[in-house]
Amino acid sequence: MNPEQQMEQRGSQWSITVFEEEYFQGKCCHFTMECQNILDRDFRKIRSIKVENGPWVGYEYPEYQGQQFVLEKGDYPCYQAWSGNSSYRTEHLLSFRPIHCAKHSDSKVSLYECEDFQGRKFELCDDYPSLQAMGWCSKEVPSIKVNSGAWVAYQFPGYRGYQYILERDRREGEYRNYNEFGTQAHTNQIQSIRRIQH
């Protein structure tokens, strides 16, 4: 298989259509790979999304900056659909990229009670709507190591609040402190976590 065929085959695993207005109205564009800045495509913003294939992560600012939102297969007619129960309101997105390492059936993550992978360690292979209910004694998770797959961690129980996309194939899966969770991370508070669907 030549490189062009490999690229085409890889691209078919990732498919997303973005719209400038809510409810799939206005200008639209289809992508099979990342977009660092939708403004470069003469868009003003992204207000609705259809994910046809593969999981993606969308960002509120260009260059993958700001609040991040996991975008799994399905329709997102308005910002409430991607922000869910987030306490942070982002009415549009400006950049997005595929999540290549999501393997829902083979995902493993380790949570640590201190920064730099120190202190007590919890290994997880499943979704947890409440980390405290499963025995984690704190509202905070100072460091995380993704052993396999991709995860989305949430600030509050029940998959609410800020979202942090944690991937094995980025940063070698190592998040030594909360600053590495994402550019919008202002705290190490994580109270629920789940595997990203693929």
Side-chain angles (χ1 to χ4, degrees):
M1 191 181 294
N2 68 38
E4 194 173 293
Q5 288 171 319
Q6 287 176 336
M7 189 70 158
E8 190 175 308
Q9 184 180 4
R10 212 174 31 213
S12 66
Q13 296 175 11
W14 317 103
S15 179
I16 189 170
T17 304
V18 299
F19 299 81
E20 201 168 49
E21 301 301 334
E22 290 186 340
Y23 298 97
F24 318 115
Q25 300 295 310
K27 188 185 291 188
C28 73
C29 195
H30 181 77
F31 292 85
T32 56
M33 50 196 324
E34 65 189 23
C35 176
Q36 292 185 3
N37 187 351
I38 198 66
L39 303 174
D40 292 342
R41 299 288 185 119
D42 293 325
F43 268 64
R44 290 177 293 131
K45 60 193 170 283
I46 298 169
R47 303 270 322 264
S48 56
I49 300 167
K50 287 180 180 274
V51 177
E52 292 92 18
N53 214 355
W56 297 72
V57 55
Y59 296 84
E60 81 178 304
Y61 300 122
E63 309 294 329
Y64 318 122
Q65 300 294 308
Q67 178 64 19
Q68 48 189 291
F69 300 94
V70 66
L71 302 167
E72 292 157 313
K73 190 173 183 176
D75 292 351
Y76 299 83
C78 59
Y79 78 89
Q80 290 97 331
W82 67 64
S83 60
N85 294 323
S86 175
S87 57
Y88 189 81
R89 184 177 162 139
T90 298
E91 294 187 10
H92 63 267
L93 302 177
L94 296 177
S95 59
F96 54 89
R97 63 175 178 78
I99 300 171
H100 292 286
C101 65
K103 297 182 189 108
H104 189 259
S105 61
D106 179 30
S107 296
K108 186 174 174 185
V109 67
S110 300
L111 312 180
Y112 294 84
E113 69 178 349
C114 301
E115 291 186 352
D116 293 319
F117 317 122
Q118 300 297 309
R120 194 170 63 131
K121 169 181 160 183
F122 261 59
E123 287 191 352
L124 309 175
C125 299
D126 208 347
D127 304 343
Y128 287 92
S130 171
L131 290 176
Q132 288 179 298
M134 60 70 96
W136 190 256
C137 298
S138 172
K139 292 180 178 180
E140 300 173 344
V141 180
S143 58
I144 298 173
K145 186 177 282 189
V146 179
N147 304 23
S148 60
W151 297 75
V152 56
Y154 296 84
Q155 182 181 14
F156 301 119
Y159 312 124
R160 296 177 302 114
Y162 284 115
Q163 298 180 27
Y164 306 112
I165 313 305
L166 308 168
E167 301 162 79
R168 173 65 185 107
D169 67 355
R170 295 179 85 75
R171 312 181 66 82
E172 298 180 350
E174 296 186 350
Y175 300 84
R176 296 181 170 278
N177 61 60
Y178 75 88
N179 292 319
E180 298 179 351
F181 296 164
T183 62
Q184 87 290 8
H186 304 296
T187 175
N188 59 9
Q189 184 173 318
I190 291 176
Q191 296 183 66
S192 54
I193 191 168
R194 68 177 179 83
R195 298 162 293 171
I196 293 176
Q197 299 280 349
H198 188 214

